[in-house]
Short mmCIF file of all heavy atoms in Angstrom, two decimals:
data_model
loop_
_atom_site.label_atom_id
_atom_site.label_comp_id
_atom_site.label_asym_id
_atom_site.label_seq_id
_atom_site.Cartn_x
_atom_site.Cartn_y
_atom_site.Cartn_z
N ALA A 92 -106.93 -124.47 46.85
CA ALA A 92 -108.04 -123.86 47.62
C ALA A 92 -109.41 -124.70 47.45
O ALA A 92 -109.61 -125.12 46.31
CB ALA A 92 -108.32 -122.45 47.17
N PRO A 93 -110.24 -124.80 48.41
CA PRO A 93 -111.44 -125.62 48.28
C PRO A 93 -112.31 -125.12 47.19
O PRO A 93 -113.01 -126.00 46.49
CB PRO A 93 -112.05 -125.52 49.62
CG PRO A 93 -111.01 -125.09 50.60
CD PRO A 93 -110.03 -124.27 49.78
N ALA A 94 -112.31 -123.81 46.93
CA ALA A 94 -113.28 -123.21 45.93
C ALA A 94 -112.84 -123.46 44.51
O ALA A 94 -113.51 -123.10 43.60
CB ALA A 94 -113.48 -121.81 46.29
N VAL A 95 -111.53 -124.00 44.31
CA VAL A 95 -111.04 -124.15 42.94
C VAL A 95 -111.22 -125.54 42.56
O VAL A 95 -110.81 -126.52 43.25
CB VAL A 95 -109.55 -123.72 42.94
CG1 VAL A 95 -108.90 -123.99 41.64
CG2 VAL A 95 -109.32 -122.30 43.38
N ALA A 96 -111.92 -125.77 41.40
CA ALA A 96 -112.31 -127.11 40.98
C ALA A 96 -111.50 -127.47 39.67
O ALA A 96 -111.06 -126.74 38.93
CB ALA A 96 -113.83 -127.18 40.68
N VAL A 97 -111.47 -128.81 39.42
CA VAL A 97 -111.00 -129.29 38.08
C VAL A 97 -111.74 -128.68 36.93
O VAL A 97 -113.01 -128.60 37.04
CB VAL A 97 -111.06 -130.81 38.08
CG1 VAL A 97 -110.68 -131.41 36.66
CG2 VAL A 97 -110.10 -131.40 39.13
N GLY A 98 -111.07 -128.09 36.01
CA GLY A 98 -111.62 -127.52 34.91
C GLY A 98 -111.75 -125.96 35.02
O GLY A 98 -112.12 -125.23 34.10
N ASP A 99 -111.51 -125.42 36.23
CA ASP A 99 -111.35 -124.00 36.44
C ASP A 99 -110.01 -123.42 35.85
O ASP A 99 -109.18 -124.29 35.60
CB ASP A 99 -111.48 -123.67 37.95
CG ASP A 99 -112.90 -123.88 38.51
OD1 ASP A 99 -113.77 -124.27 37.82
OD2 ASP A 99 -113.01 -123.57 39.74
N VAL A 100 -110.00 -122.17 35.79
CA VAL A 100 -108.69 -121.45 35.33
C VAL A 100 -108.35 -120.57 36.48
O VAL A 100 -109.08 -119.85 37.01
CB VAL A 100 -108.86 -120.74 34.05
CG1 VAL A 100 -107.72 -119.77 33.82
CG2 VAL A 100 -109.11 -121.75 32.93
N VAL A 101 -106.98 -120.61 36.86
CA VAL A 101 -106.44 -119.66 37.83
C VAL A 101 -105.48 -118.73 37.14
O VAL A 101 -104.66 -119.20 36.44
CB VAL A 101 -105.72 -120.33 38.96
CG1 VAL A 101 -105.00 -119.29 39.89
CG2 VAL A 101 -106.71 -121.29 39.72
N VAL A 102 -105.74 -117.49 37.21
CA VAL A 102 -104.78 -116.48 36.65
C VAL A 102 -103.98 -115.99 37.81
O VAL A 102 -104.53 -115.52 38.87
CB VAL A 102 -105.48 -115.33 35.89
CG1 VAL A 102 -104.64 -114.19 35.37
CG2 VAL A 102 -106.51 -115.81 34.88
N SER A 103 -102.63 -115.85 37.74
CA SER A 103 -101.76 -115.45 38.77
C SER A 103 -101.98 -114.05 39.06
O SER A 103 -101.99 -113.22 38.24
CB SER A 103 -100.31 -115.70 38.39
OG SER A 103 -100.00 -114.94 37.26
#
Side-chain angles (χ1 to χ4, degrees):
V95 176
V97 169
D99 288 0
V100 168
V101 177
V102 180
S103 61

